Structures are given as structure tokens and as C-alpha cells.
Amino acid sequence: IAQDEERDQSYLDATAFLVQRGESDAALDIFRRTLAKSGRSVSEYVKVYASLWIIDLTRRSARVPDAGALAYLRGIAARKVALRPPRAAGWYAELARYATGQLDYAGLLAKADTAGKRAEAYFYEAMRRLYHGKRDEAHALWSKVTETKMMSFFEYEMALRYLRTGAPARPETSDRKETI
């Protein structure tokens, strides 16, 4: 990020890396910097996905979703759909509706008309179920994410990691690993 503060992919990469490892303080710092950037520097797409991951991480670590991430997603979910939205905007607006409780899992899954969208729907529902103490159901959904073979998706990478090591609630240390 320090090398090029205008490259939005750097914010996404750093956030995904930290979230997977339970590094909530560092992830929140980068997330807040992400939201503060203009839409010309960091796209709405990046901000939505970073918000989804931060909500998950803060639920795991603090047991309450980050208020800033929820507020951002509520704003996306409340917008009227543009006549010609960018290709991905329609889907990430559905993810925002799902994350804010305006769309249930069945409704989200019904709109997931590609393998990539299904991978994301499975992943975010897995994280919700994990939060509610349904580990076995979360593991089954992470497996469904990997079955989509959407290897270029962060959700695929995270699902693989969580199947192997669990979803960390705190930063991993050499002497103990705390996962949920």
C-alpha cells in the first residue's frame, strides 16, 4: 500500500491476508484507510468485499460486527439500482443486502447464477453459521466453496485455509492457536 496508495488491489490483498490470520487490529486499520480513499482510488467493489470480510473478522474476534463496515454495506444495499450498473455491482449489492439482513440465504443463493456467485454465497453463509456456533454446517459450506473450483476468488482461498486450520478469532502465535 505504501508503494502505491492508489492501487485498490493492494488494499484488498492486505485485508484478505490479515483477515485469514485473525489479525483484527491491522485489518481494521487497513479497512478504515480503504473506506477513507476516494472512489477514484479505491473502488466501491473493493470497499464492499473488504466490509464483508471485516464484518466476519470482528464477529469472530469481538463478537460484534464492525459498525463502519455495516454502515457502508447498508448504504450500498439501500441504493436504487442504476439502469446500467457496472457488471459486478448488481451482485455485490445483493451481498450487501444479505450481510445487512435484507436478503436471506435462500434468496441470495437463488440469485447466484454462476459458479463464482455460488462460491461467495456458500462462503458468507458458512461464516454466518460459524458465528452462530454451527461449525459442522460451516465446514460443509466451505467444502461446497472448494467444489466450485473458483481458485482465483479470495473466498475460495479462505475456505481452503479454514478447512485446514479453522477460522482464527485472534492472531496466531507459535505457542497457541485460537480458532472458532
Side-chain angles (χ1 to χ4, degrees):
I1 292 171
Q3 290 179 359
D4 186 356
E5 290 188 21
E6 304 305 309
R7 183 178 176 266
D8 66 353
Q9 188 66 38
S10 297
Y11 293 87
L12 201 60
D13 292 343
T15 303
F17 178 84
L18 294 165
V19 164
Q20 290 179 63
R21 286 155 182 80
E23 296 281 351
S24 57
D25 291 340
L28 280 166
D29 176 60
I30 292 190
F31 172 70
R32 290 184 179 115
R33 290 170 56 193
T34 301
L35 284 188
K37 298 298 278 182
S38 76
R40 288 188 308 268
S41 298
V42 177
S43 69
E44 183 174 88
Y45 170 89
V46 167
K47 292 176 181 182
V48 167
Y49 282 93
S51 295
L52 292 167
W53 301 337
I54 288 297
I55 286 172
D56 164 55
L57 178 61
T58 54
R59 277 185 180 149
R60 283 187 277 135
S61 62
R63 304 302 296 168
V64 62
D66 181 74
L70 274 175
Y72 186 78
L73 291 177
R74 282 187 187 116
I76 296 295
R79 270 198 328 222
K80 300 290 183 210
V81 176
L83 290 176
R84 293 186 183 171
R87 196 170 69 172
W91 176 246
Y92 69 66
E94 297 299 341
L95 289 172
R97 286 182 196 77
Y98 169 77
T100 59
Q102 299 172 36
L103 179 66
D104 66 8
Y105 175 58
L108 181 67
L109 199 54
K111 294 175 185 238
D113 58 358
T114 66
K117 290 175 183 178
R118 284 188 298 280
E120 291 178 349
Y122 298 147
F123 180 80
Y124 295 113
E125 179 64 12
M127 300 315 295
R128 180 171 289 185
R129 290 185 190 187
L130 182 67
Y131 172 70
H132 289 293
K134 299 176 181 177
R135 278 186 170 169
D136 291 342
E137 292 178 22
H139 279 259
L141 285 166
W142 289 329
S143 292
K144 288 183 88 158
V145 172
T146 64
E147 290 168 11
T148 66
K149 303 205 183 309
M150 297 305 298
M151 295 174 204
S152 63
F153 280 47
F154 283 112
E155 292 81 4
Y156 179 90
E157 180 182 323
M158 288 185 217
L160 274 179
R161 181 179 180 88
Y162 296 164
L163 282 168
R164 285 192 314 266
T165 64
R170 305 264 184 286
E172 297 175 0
T173 63
S174 59
D175 58 330
R176 89 176 164 88
K177 291 182 180 179
E178 183 180 340
T179 60
I180 62 171

